[in-house]
Amino acid sequence: QREYLGYVRSSAHALLAVITEVLDISKIESEEFTLDYEMCDVVDLASRSVDLVRGGALRKELELATRITGEGSPVAKVDPGRLRQVLVNLLGNAVKFTDEGAVKVEVGPAAGEGWFEVTISDTGPGFEADLKEKLFQRFEQADGTIARQHGGSGLGLAISLQLAQLLGG
């Protein structure tokens, strides 16, 4: 019974995630979407985002590292909840599609006052350059075989792109 309840709980969380993503896309497209800006320590936010995917990385025995570039911790006016959503989407994909090796996050200042840069890299298989545009379209995935193996709705990258653009990135 516990095993079956675990399946029900897992399925409910997956369904809730898809519903939330669809609602976010709808809000963005209807221009009903608002951002709540506040001053934020970007390194701290990135570190907390890494913590949210740490369990998946540990199960796969992946190295998960955060590195700060430049001096000091960048502080910027940003919507921390939405930036976290972007980072967790990208980190989650990196962990999901990497079977061995590492997922790394670099955070540091960028050109201009109040600007920062976050780079996420992994040792996963990557994708063909001609698939790049397709990956950022709603409900699209690079390959049906990979989609069946790893799951996902095909909304995470589309939402991440739109949120990053709304945040000025």
Coordinates of all heavy atoms in Angstrom, one line a residue, residues 9-52:
R9 N 1.4 9.8 -5.0 CA 2.0 11.1 -4.6 C 2.9 11.6 -5.7 O 2.9 12.8 -6.0 CB 2.8 10.9 -3.3 CG 3.4 12.2 -2.8 CD 4.1 12.0 -1.5 NE 4.6 13.3 -1.1 CZ 5.4 13.5 -0.1 NH1 5.8 12.5 0.7 NH2 5.9 14.7 0.2
S10 N 3.8 10.8 -6.2 CA 4.7 11.2 -7.3 C 3.9 11.7 -8.5 O 4.3 12.7 -9.1 CB 5.6 10.0 -7.7 OG 6.4 10.3 -8.8
S11 N 2.9 11.0 -8.9 CA 2.1 11.4 -10.0 C 1.3 12.7 -9.8 O 1.2 13.5 -10.7 CB 1.0 10.3 -10.4 OG 1.7 9.1 -10.8
A12 N 0.9 12.9 -8.6 CA 0.2 14.1 -8.2 C 1.2 15.3 -8.3 O 0.8 16.4 -8.8 CB -0.4 14.0 -6.8
H13 N 2.4 15.1 -7.8 CA 3.4 16.2 -7.9 C 3.7 16.5 -9.4 O 3.9 17.7 -9.7 CB 4.7 15.8 -7.1 CG 4.5 16.0 -5.7 ND1 4.5 17.2 -5.0 CD2 4.5 15.0 -4.7 CE1 4.4 17.0 -3.7 NE2 4.4 15.7 -3.5
A14 N 3.8 15.5 -10.2 CA 4.1 15.7 -11.6 C 3.0 16.5 -12.3 O 3.2 17.4 -13.1 CB 4.4 14.4 -12.3
L15 N 1.8 16.1 -12.0 CA 0.6 16.8 -12.6 C 0.5 18.2 -12.1 O 0.3 19.1 -12.9 CB -0.7 16.0 -12.2 CG -2.0 16.6 -12.8 CD1 -1.9 16.6 -14.3 CD2 -3.2 15.8 -12.3
L16 N 0.8 18.4 -10.8 CA 0.8 19.8 -10.3 C 1.9 20.7 -11.0 O 1.6 21.8 -11.3 CB 1.0 19.8 -8.8 CG 1.0 21.2 -8.1 CD1 -0.3 21.9 -8.3 CD2 1.3 21.0 -6.6
A17 N 3.0 20.1 -11.2 CA 4.1 20.8 -11.9 C 3.7 21.2 -13.3 O 3.9 22.4 -13.7 CB 5.4 20.0 -11.9
V18 N 3.0 20.3 -14.0 CA 2.6 20.6 -15.4 C 1.5 21.7 -15.4 O 1.6 22.7 -16.1 CB 2.0 19.4 -16.1 CG1 1.4 19.7 -17.4 CG2 3.2 18.4 -16.4
I19 N 0.6 21.6 -14.4 CA -0.5 22.6 -14.3 C 0.1 24.0 -14.0 O -0.3 25.0 -14.6 CB -1.5 22.2 -13.3 CG1 -2.3 21.0 -13.8 CG2 -2.5 23.3 -12.9 CD1 -3.2 20.3 -12.7
T20 N 1.0 24.0 -13.1 CA 1.7 25.3 -12.7 C 2.4 25.9 -13.9 O 2.3 27.1 -14.1 CB 2.7 25.0 -11.5 OG1 1.9 24.5 -10.4 CG2 3.4 26.3 -11.1
E21 N 3.1 25.0 -14.7 CA 3.8 25.5 -15.9 C 2.8 26.1 -16.9 O 3.1 27.2 -17.5 CB 4.7 24.4 -16.5 CG 5.9 24.1 -15.6 CD 6.7 22.9 -16.2 OE1 6.1 22.1 -16.9 OE2 7.9 22.8 -15.8
V22 N 1.7 25.4 -17.1 CA 0.7 25.9 -18.1 C 0.2 27.2 -17.6 O 0.0 28.2 -18.4 CB -0.4 24.8 -18.3 CG1 -1.5 25.4 -19.1 CG2 0.2 23.6 -19.0
L23 N -0.1 27.3 -16.3 CA -0.7 28.6 -15.8 C 0.4 29.7 -15.9 O 0.0 30.9 -16.3 CB -1.1 28.4 -14.3 CG -2.3 27.6 -14.1 CD1 -2.5 27.3 -12.6 CD2 -3.5 28.2 -14.7
D24 N 1.6 29.4 -15.7 CA 2.7 30.5 -15.8 C 2.7 30.9 -17.3 O 2.8 32.2 -17.5 CB 4.1 29.9 -15.4 CG 4.3 29.9 -13.9 OD1 3.5 30.6 -13.2 OD2 5.2 29.3 -13.4
I25 N 2.7 30.0 -18.2 CA 2.8 30.4 -19.6 C 1.6 31.3 -20.0 O 1.7 32.3 -20.7 CB 2.8 29.2 -20.5 CG1 4.1 28.5 -20.4 CG2 2.5 29.5 -22.0 CD1 5.0 28.3 -21.6
S26 N 0.4 30.9 -19.5 CA -0.8 31.6 -19.8 C -0.7 33.0 -19.2 O -1.1 34.0 -19.8 CB -2.1 30.9 -19.2 OG -2.3 29.7 -19.8
K27 N -0.2 33.2 -18.0 CA -0.1 34.5 -17.3 C 0.9 35.4 -18.1 O 0.6 36.6 -18.3 CB 0.4 34.4 -15.9 CG -0.7 33.9 -14.9 CD -0.1 33.8 -13.6 CE -1.0 33.1 -12.6 NZ -0.3 32.9 -11.3
I28 N 2.0 34.8 -18.5 CA 3.0 35.5 -19.3 C 2.4 36.0 -20.6 O 2.5 37.2 -20.9 CB 4.3 34.7 -19.5 CG1 5.0 34.5 -18.2 CG2 5.2 35.4 -20.5 CD1 6.1 33.4 -18.3
E29 N 1.7 35.1 -21.3 CA 1.2 35.5 -22.6 C 0.0 36.5 -22.5 O -0.2 37.4 -23.4 CB 0.7 34.3 -23.4 CG 1.9 33.4 -23.8 CD 1.5 32.2 -24.6 OE1 0.2 31.8 -24.6 OE2 2.3 31.5 -25.1
S30 N -0.7 36.5 -21.4 CA -1.8 37.4 -21.3 C -1.4 38.7 -20.6 O -2.2 39.6 -20.3 CB -2.9 36.8 -20.4 OG -2.5 36.6 -19.1
E31 N -0.1 38.8 -20.3 CA 0.5 40.0 -19.7 C -0.1 40.3 -18.3 O -0.1 41.4 -17.9 CB 0.5 41.2 -20.6 CG 1.2 41.0 -21.9 CD 1.1 42.1 -22.9 OE1 0.6 43.2 -22.6 OE2 1.7 42.0 -24.0
E32 N -0.6 39.2 -17.7 CA -1.1 39.3 -16.3 C 0.0 38.9 -15.3 O -0.3 38.8 -14.1 CB -2.3 38.4 -16.1 CG -3.5 38.7 -17.0 CD -4.1 40.0 -16.5 OE1 -4.2 40.3 -15.3 OE2 -4.6 40.8 -17.4
F33 N 1.2 38.7 -15.8 CA 2.3 38.2 -15.0 C 3.0 39.4 -14.3 O 3.4 40.4 -15.0 CB 3.2 37.5 -15.9 CG 4.2 36.6 -15.2 CD1 3.8 35.4 -14.7 CD2 5.5 37.0 -15.0 CE1 4.7 34.5 -14.1 CE2 6.4 36.2 -14.4 CZ 6.0 34.9 -13.9
T34 N 3.3 39.3 -13.1 CA 4.0 40.4 -12.4 C 5.2 39.8 -11.7 O 5.3 38.7 -11.3 CB 3.1 41.1 -11.3 OG1 2.7 40.1 -10.4 CG2 1.9 41.8 -11.9
L35 N 6.2 40.7 -11.6 CA 7.5 40.3 -11.0 C 7.6 41.1 -9.7 O 7.2 42.3 -9.6 CB 8.7 40.6 -11.9 CG 8.7 39.8 -13.2 CD1 9.8 40.3 -14.1 CD2 9.0 38.3 -12.9
D36 N 8.1 40.5 -8.6 CA 8.3 41.1 -7.4 C 9.8 41.3 -7.1 O 10.4 40.4 -6.6 CB 7.7 40.3 -6.2 CG 6.2 40.1 -6.4 OD1 5.5 41.1 -6.7 OD2 5.7 39.0 -6.2
Y37 N 10.3 42.5 -7.5 CA 11.7 42.8 -7.4 C 12.1 43.1 -5.9 O 11.4 43.8 -5.2 CB 12.1 44.0 -8.3 CG 12.0 43.6 -9.7 CD1 10.9 43.9 -10.5 CD2 13.1 43.0 -10.3 CE1 10.9 43.6 -11.9 CE2 13.1 42.7 -11.7 CZ 12.0 43.0 -12.4 OH 12.0 42.7 -13.8
E38 N 13.3 42.7 -5.6 CA 13.9 43.0 -4.3 C 15.4 42.8 -4.4 O 15.9 42.1 -5.3 CB 13.3 42.2 -3.1 CG 13.6 40.7 -3.3 CD 12.9 39.9 -2.1 OE1 11.7 39.8 -2.1 OE2 13.6 39.4 -1.3
M39 N 16.2 43.5 -3.6 CA 17.6 43.3 -3.6 C 17.9 41.8 -3.1 O 17.3 41.4 -2.2 CB 18.3 44.3 -2.7 CG 18.2 45.7 -3.3 SD 18.8 45.9 -5.0 CE 20.5 45.7 -4.8
C40 N 18.8 41.2 -3.8 CA 19.0 39.7 -3.6 C 20.5 39.4 -3.7 O 21.1 39.9 -4.7 CB 18.2 39.0 -4.6 SG 18.3 37.2 -4.5
D41 N 21.0 38.6 -2.9 CA 22.3 38.0 -3.0 C 22.2 36.8 -4.0 O 21.7 35.8 -3.7 CB 22.8 37.5 -1.6 CG 24.2 36.9 -1.6 OD1 24.6 36.3 -2.7 OD2 24.9 36.9 -0.6
V42 N 22.8 37.0 -5.1 CA 22.6 36.1 -6.2 C 23.3 34.7 -5.9 O 22.8 33.7 -6.2 CB 23.1 36.7 -7.6 CG1 22.9 35.7 -8.7 CG2 22.3 37.9 -7.9
V43 N 24.5 34.8 -5.3 CA 25.2 33.6 -4.9 C 24.4 32.7 -4.0 O 24.3 31.5 -4.1 CB 26.6 33.9 -4.4 CG1 27.3 32.6 -3.8 CG2 27.5 34.5 -5.4
D44 N 23.8 33.4 -3.0 CA 23.0 32.7 -2.0 C 21.8 32.0 -2.7 O 21.5 30.9 -2.4 CB 22.5 33.6 -0.9 CG 21.7 32.9 0.2 OD1 22.2 31.9 0.8 OD2 20.5 33.3 0.4
L45 N 21.2 32.7 -3.6 CA 20.0 32.2 -4.3 C 20.4 31.0 -5.2 O 19.7 30.0 -5.2 CB 19.4 33.3 -5.1 CG 18.1 32.9 -5.7 CD1 16.9 33.8 -5.2 CD2 18.1 33.0 -7.2
A46 N 21.5 31.2 -5.8 CA 22.0 30.0 -6.7 C 22.4 28.8 -5.8 O 22.0 27.7 -6.2 CB 23.2 30.5 -7.5
S47 N 23.0 29.1 -4.7 CA 23.3 27.9 -3.8 C 22.1 27.2 -3.3 O 22.1 26.0 -3.2 CB 24.2 28.4 -2.6 OG 25.4 28.9 -3.0
R48 N 21.1 28.0 -2.9 CA 19.8 27.4 -2.5 C 19.1 26.6 -3.6 O 18.5 25.6 -3.4 CB 18.9 28.4 -1.9 CG 19.4 28.8 -0.5 CD 18.4 29.7 0.3 NE 18.6 31.1 -0.3 CZ 17.6 31.9 -0.6 NH1 16.3 31.5 -0.5 NH2 17.8 33.1 -1.1
S49 N 19.3 27.1 -4.8 CA 18.7 26.4 -6.0 C 19.4 25.1 -6.2 O 18.8 24.1 -6.5 CB 18.8 27.3 -7.3 OG 18.1 28.5 -7.1
V50 N 20.7 25.1 -6.1 CA 21.5 23.9 -6.2 C 21.1 22.9 -5.1 O 21.0 21.7 -5.4 CB 23.1 24.2 -6.1 CG1 23.9 22.9 -5.8 CG2 23.6 24.9 -7.3
D51 N 20.8 23.3 -3.9 CA 20.4 22.4 -2.9 C 19.1 21.7 -3.2 O 18.9 20.5 -2.9 CB 20.2 23.2 -1.6 CG 21.5 23.6 -0.9 OD1 22.5 23.1 -1.3 OD2 21.4 24.5 -0.1
L52 N 18.2 22.3 -4.0 CA 16.9 21.7 -4.4 C 17.1 20.5 -5.4 O 16.2 19.7 -5.5 CB 16.0 22.8 -5.0 CG 15.5 23.8 -4.0 CD1 14.7 24.9 -4.8 CD2 14.7 23.2 -2.9

